[in-house]
Amino acid sequence: MGNKLHYVVPVIAALIAGSGVCAAHSGTLEDIKASGKVRIGIPNINPYGYIDGDGHVTGQAPELTRAFFADMGVKEVDPVVTEWGALIGGLMAGRFDIIATGMLIQPERCRQISFGNPEYKIVSAFAVRKGNPLSLTSYQTVAANDVAKIGMLTGAGDIRYAELAGVPAARRILFPDFTAALAGLQAGRVDAVVASTVTIRNALTRLADPELEYAELTEQPLGENGKPVVSYGGMGFRKEDAALREAWNSWLTAQLQSGKATQIMAPFGFGPETQPSADITADQICSETK
């Protein structure tokens, strides 16, 4: 993202540190409306919430946040850049008003903060060679083809999903990172590379190799419980900020139904296949046992 990033982040951090920000209270929504300004916490991770090479805060969650507050008449969206591991602590301490990075909704996190309803779901996809010559559209199709090899990252959960689907270890090729995995696909070492839909789309766009293409899966990998593996991302709120969360949920529901939310997220790799079901809520996800 260029050298400008190294300049922008410290400047923002210094401004925040010197602002004398105190912990917010239960009237956060009213405070935001009155001041015309909201502070969002981001970890600088592309495509979820980051600062680009021009010093502009963007990403899937910040752009949704901008649209939401613009509809409320709040024009100023100030970023607070922090490490991923400090996002929840920073929110609870009042350093910012919302975690705006599409954080995965997980039970352990739900015990600390409240989540907005899911903005997207994370499912898997393949990167394959042009035309998908082996017709690989699921772990099952990889397992059924005696010569098909699938690339995945060392330590990734995908390894277990492939094993559960019956893909032999000799045809599960491990790579240290996603760049190396795509290089392996280009070189013919593997016939498909698996990752989330968002990761695949963004990586193929950046690589711009006409000999590689995106392959949507006809079947998602199954976890240990025999159910398809799906994760959901949403905004993070303090538990006392129920009014802000409810306003967000109401707005998000309308935008998902109209297609506006997907349109906002599409430039960051979030296609229609990432849209969550209309009937799933953050509270439901939080109550699920893993």
Side-chain angles (χ1 to χ4, degrees):
M1 283 179 282
N3 294 330
K4 292 183 180 180
L5 174 61
H6 302 291
Y7 171 76
V8 173
V9 173
V11 168
I12 293 175
L15 289 173
I16 295 299
S19 64
V21 172
C22 60
H25 54 76
S26 59
T28 299
L29 178 58
E30 290 73 19
D31 290 347
I32 291 170
K33 289 180 177 179
S35 67
K37 179 173 68 175
V38 61
R39 295 162 298 146
I40 62 172
I42 64 171
N44 204 33
I45 295 177
N46 185 336
Y48 302 97
Y50 64 101
I51 298 177
D52 65 18
D54 295 323
H56 177 68
V57 176
T58 188
Q60 165 265 331
E63 296 303 338
L64 277 181
T65 304
R66 279 197 180 94
F68 166 59
F69 283 108
D71 285 352
M72 297 176 61
V74 176
K75 298 181 179 180
E76 191 173 345
V77 178
D78 291 346
V80 180
V81 180
T82 188
E83 294 180 359
W84 177 266
L87 283 169
I88 289 179
L91 176 70
M92 296 174 69
R95 291 190 60 222
F96 38 85
D97 305 304
I98 300 174
I99 295 175
T101 185
M103 179 177 280
L104 292 185
I105 304 170
Q106 298 173 339
E108 61 271 22
R109 292 172 177 163
C110 297
R111 287 190 282 270
Q112 298 176 281
I113 63 175
S114 292
F115 279 96
N117 288 337
E119 302 141 27
Y120 66 86
K121 63 181 180 182
I122 286 293
V123 293
S124 297
F126 288 167
V128 297
R129 287 190 290 278
K130 185 177 180 179
N132 197 1
L134 297 186
S135 299
L136 302 178
T137 57
S138 68
Y139 282 98
Q140 287 73 22
T141 58
V142 175
N145 189 312
D146 291 339
V147 299
K149 294 180 180 179
I150 186 168
M152 53 193 68
L153 303 190
T154 300
D158 301 301
I159 299 170
R160 178 56 176 160
Y161 304 147
E163 181 182 7
L164 290 170
V167 179
R171 293 197 280 118
R172 303 194 303 261
I173 311 303
L174 305 184
F175 295 92
D177 55 54
F178 199 67
T179 299
L182 288 182
L185 179 61
Q186 289 173 308
R189 291 183 57 199
V190 294
D191 303 289
V193 172
V194 64
S196 74
T197 57
V198 176
T199 298
I200 295 285
R201 287 187 190 280
N202 285 348
L204 290 180
T205 297
R206 289 194 298 269
L207 191 61
D209 184 344
E211 296 304 312
L212 301 185
E213 67 183 37
Y214 176 95
E216 184 174 347
L217 298 192
T218 56
E219 297 177 85
Q220 287 299 310
L222 303 181
E224 300 288 346
N225 59 5
K227 297 180 180 180
V229 178
V230 181
S231 298
Y232 296 90
M235 301 287 184
F237 301 87
R238 285 182 289 271
K239 288 186 177 291
E240 61 266 29
D241 287 339
L244 178 56
R245 177 181 182 248
E246 289 170 8
W248 165 258
N249 282 343
S250 177
W251 181 88
L252 180 64
T253 297
Q255 308 316 311
L256 286 171
Q257 290 174 348
S258 71
K260 181 179 178 180
T262 301
Q263 182 181 8
I264 292 171
M265 295 188 290
F268 305 99
F270 294 80
E273 79 283 350
T274 68
Q275 182 164 331
S277 301
D279 59 350
I280 191 164
T281 67
D283 291 340
Q284 177 186 341
I285 299 168
C286 285
S287 67
E288 292 177 354
T289 56
K290 299 295 182 181

